[in-house]
Amino acid sequence: GQQVMQIPQYQHVQEGEDFTTYCNSSTTLSNIQWYKQRPGGHPVFLIQLVKSGEVKKQKRLTFQFGEAKKNSSLHITATQTTDVGTYFCAGSKTSGTYKYIFGTGTRLKVLA
Amino acid sequence: EAGVAQSPRYKIIEKRQSVAFWCNPISGHATLYWYQQILGQGPKLLIQFQNNGVVDDSQLPKDRFSAERLKGVDSTLKIQPAKLEDSAVYLCASSSLRVGLNYGYTFGSGTRLTVV
């Protein structure tokens, strides 16, 4: 079945350093979403990418969808303590089904 | 708009007991999902409803789990009998089909189940 893996599993950074998490799917995706889950909280939707090679930015966050639509990345510039949490990608194999398989997640800790 | 409501927030039961969780999605959201999130893992889809019909329940352990969404609004997820490995957070999410591609799921706060 479809699998979505993320690396790294954990990342500790000093505040102000950059952070990147990578998401890889075993199958070609129709689109991919990114979520952030704060400790003790529930996943919160960040963004959706649809087109091959698409790049979207939200303030210090940059999201990319690979050309082959099998991988994606989230890059945070100059991390802040508010960025702490687990970042999940979620991929949909088929357009219009609204069924997303979540990745394994990357837990980010930011040291002040 | 009001978010996705779930109850209870926490539940502790003994193995072999039964338990039920309730979810009320965002008004007008046609699609409702139940996810299981084991500590340290990503959410795993259990069942997806569109209105009151099941779209996907391939990952639902049907020998012990059941779910329904009567009238296409709120939903209940039941486990009977519970096993130790069912300890997890059960997340309900909903999404709107009308707005197409630009909206992700809205998750509820979840029910943390501990089976002892």
Side-chain angles (χ1 to χ4, degrees):
Chain A
Q2 180 186 357
Q3 290 188 334
V4 181
M5 304 297 292
Q6 284 182 251
I7 54 171
Q9 191 175 359
Y10 303 97
Q11 183 88 59
H12 293 187
V13 299
Q14 286 291 135
E15 189 173 22
E17 291 183 337
D18 292 355
F19 160 76
T20 304
T21 173
Y22 300 91
C23 174
N24 295 288
S25 170
S26 59
T27 58
T28 302
L29 300 172
S30 169
N31 55 76
I32 195 160
Q33 297 178 347
W34 284 91
Y35 291 79
K36 176 183 178 182
Q37 185 172 24
R38 294 182 184 275
H42 55 274
V44 174
F45 174 72
L46 295 176
I47 207 162
Q48 177 165 290
L49 304 171
V50 179
K51 299 176 185 175
S52 169
E54 187 171 16
V55 178
K56 286 188 175 180
K57 292 191 175 185
Q58 287 181 351
K59 298 182 180 178
R60 296 179 293 104
L61 277 61
T62 302
F63 304 84
Q64 276 192 297
F65 201 6
E67 294 289 342
K69 301 185 78 173
K70 293 183 74 172
N71 55 70
S72 181
S73 65
L74 158 60
H75 179 83
I76 302 178
T77 303
T79 54
Q80 300 175 357
T81 54
T82 53
D83 296 325
V84 165
T86 301
Y87 293 85
F88 291 100
C89 62
S92 177
K93 200 166 62 170
T94 308
S95 175
T97 62
Y98 300 90
K99 174 185 172 182
Y100 288 84
I101 304 300
F102 277 73
T104 47
T106 295
R107 184 179 300 177
L108 172 65
K109 286 193 175 181
V110 180
L111 307 172
Chain B
E1 62 182 1
V4 175
Q6 285 190 250
S7 66
R9 282 286 277 136
Y10 305 93
K11 192 75 177 177
I12 300 175
I13 62 172
E14 294 183 350
K15 59 184 179 184
R16 292 188 289 273
Q17 285 187 323
S18 62
V19 64
F21 314 125
W22 174 82
C23 172
N24 192 335
I26 291 174
S27 177
H29 278 194
T31 312
L32 184 148
Y33 312 80
W34 283 101
Y35 278 83
Q36 179 193 58
Q37 187 174 26
I38 292 171
L39 187 64
Q41 298 182 16
K44 172 189 164 187
L45 179 66
L46 293 175
I47 189 167
Q48 176 185 355
F49 291 95
Q50 185 166 322
N51 297 309
N52 61 348
V54 175
V55 175
D56 188 322
D57 64 356
S58 57
Q59 300 268 62
L60 189 72
K62 298 181 188 61
D63 58 332
R64 298 184 301 106
F65 286 64
S66 64
E68 60 182 10
R69 191 184 184 196
L70 299 176
K71 301 180 182 178
V73 182
D74 54 353
S75 175
T76 56
L77 175 70
K78 295 179 183 177
I79 307 175
Q80 182 180 7
K83 293 185 175 182
L84 295 176
E85 58 260 36
D86 297 332
S87 294
V89 175
Y90 290 85
L91 294 162
C92 178
S94 68
S95 68
S96 169
L97 297 180
R98 290 176 296 146
V99 292
L101 301 178
N102 293 322
Y103 287 78
Y105 297 168
T106 301
F107 281 89
S109 298
T111 296
R112 183 177 297 275
L113 174 68
T114 302
V115 182
V116 297

